[in-house]
Amino acid sequence: MIALVGFTALPIIYMVSTAFKPLDELFLYPPRFLVHRPTMRNFFDLLTATDSSVVPFSRYIFNSVFVSSAIVGISLVVCSLGAYVLSKLKPPGARFIFAVILSALMFAPQVTQIPTYLIVSGLGLVNTYWALILPKVAVAFNIFLMKQFFDQIPDALIEAAHIDGASEWTIFWKVIMAVSKPAWATLIIFSFIGNWNDYFSALVFTTSETMKTLPLAIQTLAGGPGVVARSGALAAGTFLVTLPPIVIFLLFQKLVMNTMVYSGIKS
């Protein structure tokens, strides 16, 4: 297992090493895996390469952080509420609604981009943060993930809370969400990683430079003339794009593992 983990980590190690390589080591043949003379020059070159833009590089970082955080927070609440209703309250037509949600999993996001754009454009939300956030709030996979976990929670736990006089809102927040940390921690991980790395939505729903996210800015930097000279800057940009998802995963991995062991959900 250690050997397998080490082999899996090789691309990440190479990416980190490349981000700190001086320009002469970037074009060595055969390529050198580890950096011999680490430098921060690539990060300064990244800032220099974006100086010609109408917005500072920090704006791209802010857009990515704000949009990803907003999507994760709102999606967690909306999808958890929807999954709780389908799993425990079971309103009329719950099975049909869940079947529609499952059928939505068969479609790739790119397939629904045209109707989604028409809706966003019709609402007058193009070139706004809402255009990047609202289409990602009610995600079929997130609802499916939360419902499958809620189905494992004993109904006796909810009945005991009802006997104690707790309202449905109190039961949801203080009982269901409290014992569902593995589910919502997993949702946060997948949702943040998917939305942080998404450049397609910003490309479709925005035309203003001030609305670009970090992955789209890096993709733009990777095109056009002079891309060879910007290889170091691109390596630094790739490192910056990849770092937050790794940190988020490491932070919530422990929460998922510990809660899976100590949540006490047993029948």
Side-chain angles (χ1 to χ4, degrees):
M1 288 300 297
I2 294 176
L4 180 61
V5 170
F7 181 77
T8 306
L10 288 179
I12 300 177
I13 297 173
Y14 181 76
M15 176 200 66
V16 176
S17 175
T18 304
F20 294 93
K21 284 182 180 178
L23 198 60
D24 56 343
E25 290 189 30
L26 283 172
F27 298 103
L28 283 179
Y29 186 83
R32 184 178 292 167
F33 189 80
L34 295 176
V35 58
H36 284 197
R37 295 179 290 106
T39 177
M40 297 292 292
R41 180 68 186 177
N42 292 334
F43 296 92
F44 293 109
D45 290 344
L46 177 62
L47 297 178
T48 303
T50 56
D51 278 346
S52 58
S53 176
V54 295
V55 296
F57 186 74
S58 58
R59 178 72 182 191
Y60 303 134
I61 298 177
F62 170 79
N63 289 342
S64 287
V65 172
F66 176 74
V67 171
S68 300
S69 301
I71 292 175
V72 170
I74 300 175
S75 180
L76 175 62
V77 175
V78 171
C79 294
S80 298
L81 285 171
Y84 174 68
V85 171
L86 293 175
S87 176
K88 297 304 179 183
L89 301 185
K90 294 182 175 65
R95 290 188 177 182
F96 174 75
I97 295 173
F98 188 61
V100 172
I101 293 173
L102 290 180
S103 65
L105 294 174
M106 296 186 298
F107 298 95
Q110 290 78 9
V111 176
T112 60
Q113 284 298 330
I114 293 178
T116 302
Y117 178 82
L118 293 176
I119 294 173
V120 171
S121 178
L123 294 174
L125 300 178
V126 176
N127 278 331
T128 66
Y129 287 117
W130 289 116
L132 303 177
I133 296 173
L134 287 181
K136 303 291 189 67
V137 169
V139 182
F141 175 78
N142 293 349
I143 298 176
F144 171 78
L145 174 69
M146 298 302 294
K147 182 184 180 300
Q148 293 303 105
F149 193 91
F150 289 165
D151 287 343
Q152 303 175 26
I153 300 176
D155 292 336
L157 196 64
I158 300 176
E159 293 172 0
H162 276 303
I163 293 174
D164 290 338
S167 64
E168 290 292 345
W169 188 254
T170 303
I171 293 173
F172 172 75
W173 281 113
K174 295 189 176 181
V175 178
I176 299 299
M177 294 301 286
V179 299
S180 302
K181 289 182 180 179
W184 57 256
T186 305
L187 187 152
I188 289 175
I189 292 173
F190 281 103
S191 182
F192 182 85
I193 292 176
N195 290 290
W196 176 268
N197 294 324
D198 178 30
Y199 74 93
F200 192 74
S201 295
L203 182 64
V204 171
F205 298 125
T206 65
T207 57
S208 173
E209 188 73 21
T210 58
M211 296 300 301
K212 278 187 178 180
T213 56
L214 185 57
L216 180 58
I218 298 300
Q219 288 288 335
T220 305
L221 190 65
V227 65
V228 176
R230 297 195 299 266
S231 298
L234 289 175
T238 303
F239 173 74
L240 292 178
V241 171
T242 310
L243 184 60
I246 295 177
V247 173
I248 291 293
F249 177 78
L250 292 177
L251 289 176
F252 283 96
Q253 181 190 30
K254 184 177 180 180
L255 175 62
V256 172
M257 295 301 177
N258 289 343
T259 315
M260 288 290 287
V261 175
Y262 299 111
S263 60
I265 302 176
K266 299 178 181 178
S267 57

